[in-house]
Amino acid sequence: MFTRPSRIANRSRSRKTDKQKEKQINQPSRRSEPLPVWSMLSMAVLGGGLVVASIAGYGMWRTGEQFMEGVKLMFTPQPPEDKVDTRTLVIQQVQGASELTTAIFAMEAVVPTESNRTVGSYVVGQTNLLYIAHGEVRAGIDLEAISEENVRVIDGAEDQPPSLVVTLPAPKILDSKLDVTRSKVYEYDRGFLNLGPDRAPELQTLAQQEALKQIRQGACDEGILSMASERAEVTMHQLLAPMGYGNLTVNVTEPKGCS
């Protein structure tokens, strides 16, 4: 029995089958190409949706937060409105200086003093002391004496600041003193044979008291209170101007005397 042709036929069939498989393997797949493109598009759309959703969520969160703040403001009671009497502020501003020294008068006085030793009605010895004094007098206004009656606030017109009128007390002499470092006893003489009484401390004290009186009187004669009134007005303008009043008027009471 002859069987070779069938083997040959089987071999040819197997070779055709192998060649067909190689062609299928080597042939590029046309349907698999579009898959990566659609995948990229879907990922882009998904990412964009997430970004839009995040932005929208943040906006809703901010809007909700503002809404809740508005609700809290509606139901939260407002604090009471505090008001300050501007006259009190002016008084505190002025009294902060306690005393307003606006004039200083310096003067030198030469004061002779003497003391006699007597026997009966006769003077048997005399002591003379000559004292040269340097003194100073300060004049001004006692600001602690200012009260609400001395301050008047006048409301201004529409969109205009109010006006302020301040009446200051009369100026007075605040202090007078001798400069003991510059003052001195110029001469001390107990007379012939020193028969005059030895009363140097007493005569020096008497000379200082008299010198202080003369210096105060000299300051009054030179018009120290008038100078104090003029300078007090200027000083008060500088002190109260930063408070923002549209028109500021400062009046100074006339002094009744100088003492």
Side-chain angles (χ1 to χ4, degrees):
M1 186 173 178
F2 183 76
T3 58
R4 288 184 177 181
S6 62
R7 292 180 178 177
I8 295 171
N10 291 332
R11 290 179 179 176
S12 63
R13 289 176 182 176
S14 62
R15 289 176 179 176
K16 289 181 180 181
T17 305
D18 294 338
K19 289 181 180 181
Q20 290 177 356
K21 288 181 179 180
E22 290 179 357
K23 287 181 180 181
Q24 291 178 355
I25 292 172
N26 295 328
Q27 186 177 1
S29 178
R30 295 180 181 178
R31 293 182 180 180
S32 61
E33 292 180 355
L35 293 177
V37 177
W38 286 107
S39 177
M40 293 176 62
L41 288 176
S42 62
M43 292 177 64
V45 172
L46 180 61
L50 290 175
V51 172
V52 173
S54 299
I55 296 175
Y58 177 76
M60 293 178 64
W61 175 73
R62 292 292 299 174
T63 305
E65 183 180 358
Q66 295 177 356
F67 175 76
M68 292 302 297
E69 289 180 357
V71 172
K72 289 181 180 178
L73 290 175
M74 290 177 60
F75 291 97
T76 301
Q78 297 295 327
E81 183 179 358
D82 298 331
K83 295 183 179 180
V84 179
D85 190 351
T86 56
R87 296 180 302 173
T88 305
L89 289 176
V90 173
I91 293 172
Q92 292 177 353
Q93 182 82 358
V94 171
Q95 288 182 346
S98 181
E99 287 184 350
L100 182 63
T101 301
T102 55
I104 299 177
F105 182 82
M107 182 178 175
E108 179 182 298
V110 179
V111 181
T113 58
E114 64 179 33
S115 179
N116 296 326
R117 185 189 299 274
T118 61
V119 176
S121 59
Y122 296 98
V123 176
V124 296
Q126 186 180 61
T127 299
N128 295 301
L129 183 144
L130 185 63
Y131 189 79
I132 299 178
H134 293 269
E136 181 180 277
V137 180
R138 293 190 307 116
I141 297 174
D142 183 8
L143 299 179
E144 293 183 353
I146 295 179
S147 63
E148 294 183 0
E149 297 178 355
N150 299 102
V151 180
R152 185 160 57 97
V153 179
I154 303 174
D155 295 333
E158 186 177 358
D159 298 333
Q160 295 295 327
S163 300
L164 178 65
V165 179
V166 179
T167 302
L168 298 178
K172 63 180 181 179
I173 294 179
L174 300 176
D175 184 28
S176 60
K177 60 183 179 180
L178 294 179
D179 186 355
V180 295
T181 61
R182 298 178 59 191
S183 303
K184 64 180 180 179
V185 176
Y186 182 76
E187 182 181 5
Y188 180 68
D189 183 16
R190 295 179 61 189
F192 180 70
L193 298 177
N194 288 333
L195 294 177
D198 187 7
R199 295 178 57 82
E202 292 82 1
L203 291 177
Q204 182 175 347
T205 301
L206 180 62
Q208 290 175 343
Q209 294 174 354
E210 183 62 27
L212 195 57
K213 291 180 182 179
Q214 291 185 14
I215 291 174
R216 288 173 65 98
Q217 186 60 45
C220 291
D221 295 340
E222 293 294 329
I224 188 173
L225 295 185
S226 298
M227 290 188 293
S229 297
E230 295 174 0
R231 294 178 182 177
E233 183 176 349
V234 175
T235 303
M236 291 303 297
H237 271 281
Q238 297 174 351
L239 183 65
L240 298 177
M243 298 187 70
Y245 288 97
N247 186 20
L248 175 60
T249 303
V250 178
N251 299 320
V252 181
T253 305
E254 290 291 333
K256 296 181 179 179
C258 183
S259 60

